[in-house]
Each structure stands twice: as C-alpha cells, then as structure tokens.
Amino acid sequence: MYAGTRRYNRRRRKRAEIRGYLRTLVWVLTVICILVVAAAMAVQTNASKVVAAEAEAEAPVLIDETKMIDVAQAVTSDSRRAAAMAAKHAQAEADRAIVIDPGHGGMDGGCVFEGVVEKDINRKIALLVKGKLQKKGYRVALAREGDELVDKADRVEAANRQNARLYVSIHQNSCEDDSVSGIETWYDDNDATGEGRRLARLIQQETVKATGASDRELVSDPEMCVTSKSRMPACLIETGFLSNRAERKNLDSTAYQEKIAEGIANGIDLYLNPKIMYLTFDDGPSEAYTDQVLDVLKQKNIKATFFLIGEYVRKYPETAKRIADEGHTIGIHCDVHDYHAIYADVSSYVEDFEKAYDTVYEVTGVEAQLFRFPGGSINAYNRKVYKDIIEEMEARGFIYYDWNASLEDAATANATSQQLIRTAVDTTLGRRQVVMLAHDRIEGTANALGDLIDAFPEYRMEALTAEARPVHF
C-alpha cells in the first residue's frame, strides 16, 4: 500500500473511530444518569413504593425521547422557516423594478434631424423593452410614462427610492461627421463592484448582435448623472446616430426598434440570470505567472480552481499556500508531468497521484477531493488504462473534471492575448455551464486574464466544488 493511501485511510479510520468513541460515550453517560436518578429515588422511597420508584426511574428516558422529538420538530420548523425566508427574499427581489428611462421628453426633444426627434425614438424603444421584459417575468417601470419633461436627477432619485434592481437609460447619438454610426454604451467605472460595467457590456454586446450595427465602444463617464447618482447597476445606451442618414432611417423604423429592444432585453436578462463558468488552471504553481494570475483574480473578486503539480508545489510552496489562503479550490493534476510514467498502469497513476496529494496536503493543509488527468481523462497515452484508473479513483472518493472550453494556450506558441481570448470565446459555444481550461505557467494567459474575464460578462465565474456537475470527455 502506498504512503498516500495509508495516510488517506488512516485519516478515514481515525474519523470513524472518533465517531464511534463519541457514540459510546453518549450511551455510557445516559446509562449512568439513569442509574444515578434511580438510586436517588430508591433511597427516598420505602419498600412499598419500589415499583413506583422503578417506573419513575424510567422517566428520564421518556423525557429524553420527547426532547429528541421536540428537537427534530424544531429543526424541521427551522428548515421550513429558512425556506420560507428564502422564498420571501426571492419574491422581494423579483418585486424590485427594472427602471427603463426613455431619455429627454416634453420640451427637451434631444437631437432632431429631418423631423426625426430623439425623445420619440427613445420612448418607442423603451415601451418595446418593457413589453419584452414583462414577457420574461420581470417587473418594469418607466422613468417617464408619457411625453412629459422629468429632470434626469429626479428620475434617478425616484429609482433610488424604489430600490430598483437596474437602471437603463435609452438615447440616440449625433455627430458633426455624418458618416459616424453605431452603438455605444456608457457606465461609471468608479463603481467598485464592476456591475455597471458588466451590465453595460452585456447590453452593448446583445444589442449589437441583434441589430448588426457597428460596435463602437464602452465609455466610462463618472460625471454622468444616470450612472454616477444611481444606487443600483446602471448604464446609458446610445442606440445609434440620428446624424447618419442610413442609421436614422433604421432608427425611425418599427422593425429596427424591435431589434434594439430585443438586444437590450436580452442583455438585461443575461445580467440577472448569468451562465456559470468555472475558470481552471493546470500545471502550476509557477514561479513567474501564478502570482500574476492570483493578483488579477483578487482584483476581479473571482475564485478559480487550480489543478496543481506536486513537484512545483514543493518548489514554490508559498505560492501554493497563497492559492489556498485566498479561497481558491485546489485539485490534483499529477506529481510529475510525465505521460509515459503516469499511464504505465493503474498502480503507476495512483502512486504519482498519492505523492502529489501528500505534497499538497503537507504544504497547504488542503485535502483535495478533485483531480484532473494530465492530457484529459481520455488521451493518446492512457487509452488502455483510463477506465480502470477512473474506477479506482472514484472508488477512493475522488472526482475528476475535464473541460468543455479552452484558451488552447499550452498548444499555441506565442499567441497574442486577443487570439487566446478569441479561442476561449469560440470554444464556449454559448453553453450554460462552462469549464474553461487555462494554464498559469503561460505568460500570454497571465497577461490576457483581465481582458479574458471581461470578455464573458454573461457568465458568473465560480470555483469548482464537489457539488458542481462534472464535465467529462
């Protein structure tokens, strides 16, 4: 039996022994209590009341059973209360309105070109967005219902008083150069949570996709009332340029307004119901780049999963400790990244795994439950043994994860950041759950990570856990 197996089994037996000792101790104390009570009652009664005393001596057991029933009922009641509170919270969240703001109104018409007035286009699009969101089950309020003039500061303050979920203001653009066209979305980058930026990116992304319009840019403006004064995530979308003749014709058509509204509604829906991405890093820790990766994750407040190599954990223990200390999930990759040695047979794989497992435990204190096969669970080196290895590892209680999207950073030498990000985006295929493969030993990956995360606003990024649905080849 290998050292790792002995250590793993010893810990398991030790936990089982401790549980057994505790159960025995509870029963012994219960028996002692019963005997003490019985003896005390016997001393205080005469011989004619022996039967009654014996009956009374049994009373503590009955009382304990009643208390146990009461405790069980209390736990059930607490669970029901917790469920009710969760449902109440969810309902309260659903009751919070999404505020759609049709920019301008009344005497303030916004920009006007050849009789096409901005305030009218804004209101038509806003009404379409409201209808589409309501069909999705959201509660929606308009910052202005008719053609009245409402001060922009008052609109935002009203949304703040409502404790609105989101605030999206709809506008049209103009430029002295009438060849300029396209969509741009504004937000406040001073928002520490980054949620305004994520909302803006999603609305920009989905509206460009729905309309086919030019994707101009995201713009941060801390002075804009809509984005800086709101207490909820907010953005302002300029859906096109009325100063551009061709775009003005589109913006004035109901069919194109429908497309814009569809994009805005889809962006809001993706913001409130994000997909899930598990960002995973193999082959670390590295001396040069793992800390850089950790810095970006910390700045973005994102937890990831690191499948570590034992020999590098021994070389860079402080970096491995940092991964654990900052709340990321640690899994086992291998001890030495040698395909021929690892996959020679089942025992070779297990021996390598146990050495890595022991190293990770000794350095970080983490008893890893997750692992990833070098090269994936099915590869050119393990085809003869992978099924037996999986059976053995699952029997030991470990869970393996492959991936369904990748930067292909280990296979693409000298790829630029944009190439890595494009590959990552292309390989997700819009899946609801993505396990993304990356490597924290690659300079390009470390340099691209911040932009990579920004490229997936529709995903909530989480660390893998044993409860996550595994992705297998």
Side-chain angles (χ1 to χ4, degrees):
M1 185 179 292
Y2 299 103
T5 303
R6 289 197 296 272
R7 182 176 289 106
Y8 178 75
N9 289 338
R10 281 201 301 272
R11 284 196 291 270
R12 186 169 56 185
R13 286 197 299 271
K14 189 171 183 179
R15 287 195 293 267
E17 289 172 359
I18 290 171
R19 287 195 295 268
Y21 293 151
L22 290 173
R23 284 195 295 268
T24 302
L25 181 61
V26 170
W27 281 109
V28 168
L29 290 174
T30 300
V31 171
I32 291 173
C33 288
I34 292 172
L35 292 175
V36 169
V37 172
M41 296 185 70
V43 169
Q44 295 175 1
T45 58
N46 54 38
S48 63
K49 296 180 180 179
V50 169
V51 175
E54 290 176 350
E56 290 177 11
E58 294 296 324
V61 177
L62 295 174
I63 292 172
D64 286 346
E65 290 175 352
T66 302
K67 287 181 178 178
M68 289 172 67
I69 293 171
D70 289 342
V71 169
Q73 290 175 339
V75 169
T76 302
S77 178
D78 286 345
S79 299
R80 288 173 179 165
R81 278 197 296 271
M85 288 177 65
K88 186 176 180 180
H89 176 76
Q91 185 59 50
E93 186 70 11
D95 286 342
R96 295 171 62 198
I98 297 166
V99 174
I100 304 298
D101 173 16
H104 305 284
M107 293 184 295
D108 178 11
C111 57
V112 181
F113 288 86
E114 294 185 352
V116 179
V117 184
E118 179 185 352
K119 66 173 183 177
D120 298 332
I121 305 296
N122 296 342
R123 184 167 180 269
K124 289 175 182 177
I125 294 172
L127 287 169
L128 291 170
V129 172
K130 179 180 180 181
K132 292 179 185 299
L133 287 174
Q134 286 176 331
K135 286 182 180 178
K136 294 177 183 289
Y138 294 108
R139 182 169 170 260
V140 185
L142 295 180
R144 67 174 174 95
E145 291 289 342
D147 188 26
E148 67 276 16
L149 176 63
V150 182
D151 184 79
K152 56 188 176 183
D154 292 339
R155 300 183 195 208
V156 175
E157 184 53 38
N160 288 337
R161 288 196 302 270
Q162 294 176 46
N163 191 27
R165 299 175 80 175
L166 305 173
Y167 191 100
V168 178
S169 190
I170 298 171
H171 286 257
Q172 311 305 308
N173 221 333
S174 67
C175 181
E176 291 181 1
D177 181 353
D178 61 10
S179 68
V180 176
S181 66
I183 298 171
E184 59 189 40
T185 307
W186 297 61
Y187 68 99
D188 180 6
D189 215 9
N190 288 334
D191 173 14
T193 67
E195 291 302 298
R197 178 183 175 87
R198 188 169 79 87
L199 175 64
R201 184 175 289 274
L202 278 169
I203 287 178
Q204 174 85 2
Q205 168 186 295
E206 294 302 308
T207 309
V208 167
K209 186 188 303 182
T211 60
S214 173
D215 185 357
R216 283 181 53 79
E217 58 183 336
L218 291 176
V219 185
S220 174
D221 185 354
E223 302 301 321
M224 184 176 287
C225 177
V226 164
T227 56
S228 64
K229 303 299 183 184
S230 59
R231 293 201 291 264
M232 72 291 300
C235 67
L236 182 151
I237 181 170
E238 301 271 10
T239 66
F241 282 76
L242 289 181
S243 51
N244 180 287
R245 183 182 298 273
E247 195 155 69
R248 179 167 66 249
K249 184 177 179 180
N250 282 336
L251 291 166
D252 197 30
S253 73
T254 301
Y256 193 76
Q257 292 166 7
E258 283 276 358
K259 292 178 180 179
I260 293 173
E262 187 71 25
I264 294 173
N266 286 344
I268 291 171
D269 189 40
L270 279 172
Y271 175 86
L272 293 172
N273 294 284
K275 305 172 186 179
I276 297 176
M277 177 177 289
Y278 301 103
L279 191 56
T280 68
F281 296 91
D282 284 8
D283 294 357
S286 72
E287 180 180 26
Y289 304 118
T290 302
D291 281 314
Q292 184 179 340
V293 166
L294 290 169
D295 289 343
V296 173
L297 294 174
K298 187 174 184 179
Q299 179 187 3
K300 298 284 189 180
N301 193 28
I302 288 173
K303 304 303 180 188
T305 304
F306 291 80
F307 291 100
L308 303 182
I309 294 179
E311 68 168 325
Y312 296 135
V313 173
R314 291 188 289 274
K315 284 183 180 179
Y316 313 116
E318 292 306 314
T319 303
K321 288 178 185 176
R322 182 184 172 189
I323 293 171
D325 291 344
E326 294 186 1
H328 303 288
T329 294
I330 289 179
I332 304 300
H333 196 40
C334 58
D335 193 67
V336 178
H337 211 287
D338 183 339
Y339 290 104
H340 292 287
I342 292 170
Y343 295 127
D345 52 39
V346 175
S347 62
S348 297
Y349 181 87
V350 172
E351 182 178 4
D352 177 270
F353 177 90
E354 288 176 340
K355 189 172 181 181
Y357 180 97
D358 290 346
T359 293
V360 167
Y361 177 73
E362 289 163 5
V363 171
T364 69
V366 173
E367 296 184 72
Q369 190 175 0
L370 313 183
F371 73 103
R372 172 172 284 159
F373 288 91
S377 60
I378 306 173
N379 60 68
Y381 298 90
N382 72 359
R383 289 188 181 279
K384 294 181 180 180
V385 295
Y386 79 89
K387 290 182 180 178
D388 294 332
I389 293 174
I390 290 172
E391 182 179 355
E392 175 65 23
M393 295 302 292
E394 288 183 339
R396 292 167 178 252
F398 295 102
I399 304 168
Y400 75 95
Y401 286 85
D402 287 314
W403 57 90
N404 57 11
S406 172
L407 279 69
E408 297 183 8
D409 49 352
T412 309
N414 302 318
T416 66
S417 293
Q418 288 307 310
Q419 287 171 330
L420 293 173
I421 292 168
R422 174 47 53 193
T423 300
V425 170
D426 289 346
T427 56
T428 61
L429 299 176
R431 297 180 181 93
R432 291 295 307 178
Q433 176 181 310
V434 170
V435 177
M436 178 67 71
L437 172 65
H439 297 79
D440 54 324
R441 304 192 67 78
I442 306 295
E443 180 180 7
T445 300
N447 293 336
L449 184 57
D451 290 336
L452 174 75
I453 292 168
D454 287 343
F456 291 101
E458 68 270 40
Y459 285 90
R460 181 176 69 248
M461 296 194 178
E462 298 181 353
L464 282 170
T465 68
E467 288 70 41
R469 177 167 58 86
V471 168
H472 293 162
F473 291 162

